[in-house]
Every structure is written in C-alpha cells, then in structure tokens.
Amino acid sequence: MNLMDAIERNVFLEKVFPEGIADTLEIRQLCLEKSGRTTIRILVKQKPAIDVQKWGEWNKDFDTLGVVLTGSSIHDVEIENWEGSGSSSLNISKKDDLFCFLQEGNDWKISFSCDSFIFEEIVTGLE
C-alpha cells in the first residue's frame, strides 16, 4: 500500500507524485495533541513530476520535499530511538478501519495507526 492511499484531499499531491510517493522516506515530525489531532511531516527525496515556480529548480533550489499531513485520530504509537532514525521504507497496511504505519531500522522504530490523513502543504528544503 502506498502512502497516497491514506491521504484524503490529495489532488495536488497526485499531480506532484502521479506514481505515488516513494516508499523510502523519513518521518521528521510527529505532533500529537490530547484531543487526537495529529500533524506529521514526511521528508521525501523524490523529484516532483511537475515544476512549481515558487519552489525553484530541483537539485539547485531544493532537493527535498516535506509533505505535511494532519489527522484527527491516532492510536498505538510506539517510538524507539527516533534520534537514530533515517530514511527507510515505510510499510503501510490496513486493519479494520485503520491504516497501520511502520518504519524501522537496525536500532530504531516508529509505529502508529490512524483513520487517515488530510494533505496540508508541501515545504521545500536543501539537505
């Protein structure tokens, strides 16, 4: 399953990533609120399929895209040694009505489940 399957209101994202978002990415930010609202920023090092004038030129003005998503319900969060994390494959599955996310490396792990996400914005950066 691709990350795009878990994102609602993703019309612009589908233009930027018509083949889907690469499986190798990095969860850079995960903000949880007691009310259940969640914001996640995912770092993608995948060249966009379209040119967006305000972003500039790929590999000159930017070489990463931060995809910002919000959700309203997150469950079963498990984070181990996040400081040691990096880019790796994001495994997504569906159990009952929840999307289950798992990303891990040799000594780190990020795992959670949620209903779905809503696309908020893309921010650019140079790594």
Side-chain angles (χ1 to χ4, degrees), residues 3-4 7-14 16-17 21 29 31 37-44 52 54-55 64-71 117-125:
L3 177 59
M4 294 288 273
I7 303 172
E8 298 177 16
R9 299 184 193 164
N10 63 2
V11 175
F12 180 67
L13 271 181
E14 287 179 346
V16 176
F17 305 112
I21 295 175
Q29 182 180 41
C31 299
R37 181 178 164 90
T38 304
T39 303
I40 186 170
R41 184 169 55 93
I42 298 174
L43 186 71
V44 180
V52 177
K54 74 177 185 175
W55 292 352
T64 59
L65 297 171
V67 178
V68 180
L69 310 170
T70 58
F117 286 110
I118 295 173
F119 170 68
E120 291 294 330
E121 67 175 329
I122 291 179
V123 294
T124 60

Side-chain angles (χ1 to χ4, degrees), residues 12-112:
F12 180 67
L13 271 181
E14 287 179 346
K15 291 178 182 177
V16 176
F17 305 112
E19 302 298 319
I21 295 175
D23 290 336
T24 301
L25 42 84
E26 184 177 351
I27 297 174
R28 279 284 177 98
Q29 182 180 41
L30 183 61
C31 299
L32 310 172
E33 295 180 21
K34 187 176 179 180
S35 66
R37 181 178 164 90
T38 304
T39 303
I40 186 170
R41 184 169 55 93
I42 298 174
L43 186 71
V44 180
K45 294 182 179 184
Q46 176 181 347
K47 183 179 179 182
I50 61 171
D51 291 326
V52 177
Q53 186 176 5
K54 74 177 185 175
W55 292 352
E57 186 179 331
W58 177 256
N59 274 336
K60 179 181 174 191
D61 301 307
F62 70 104
D63 61 4
T64 59
L65 297 171
V67 178
V68 180
L69 310 170
T70 58
S72 59
S73 181
I74 193 162
H75 311 272
D76 308 316
V77 177
E78 182 181 350
I79 299 174
E80 296 175 20
N81 191 27
W82 193 358
E83 313 78 48
S85 70
S87 293
S88 77
S89 185
L90 178 63
N91 299 305
I92 303 169
S93 59
K94 193 153 188 185
K95 183 178 179 184
D96 299 322
D97 290 333
L98 297 177
F99 289 96
C100 303
F101 298 84
L102 172 63
Q103 188 175 40
E104 59 188 339
N106 290 334
D107 63 345
W108 61 274
K109 177 180 179 180
I110 302 169
S111 171
F112 60 92

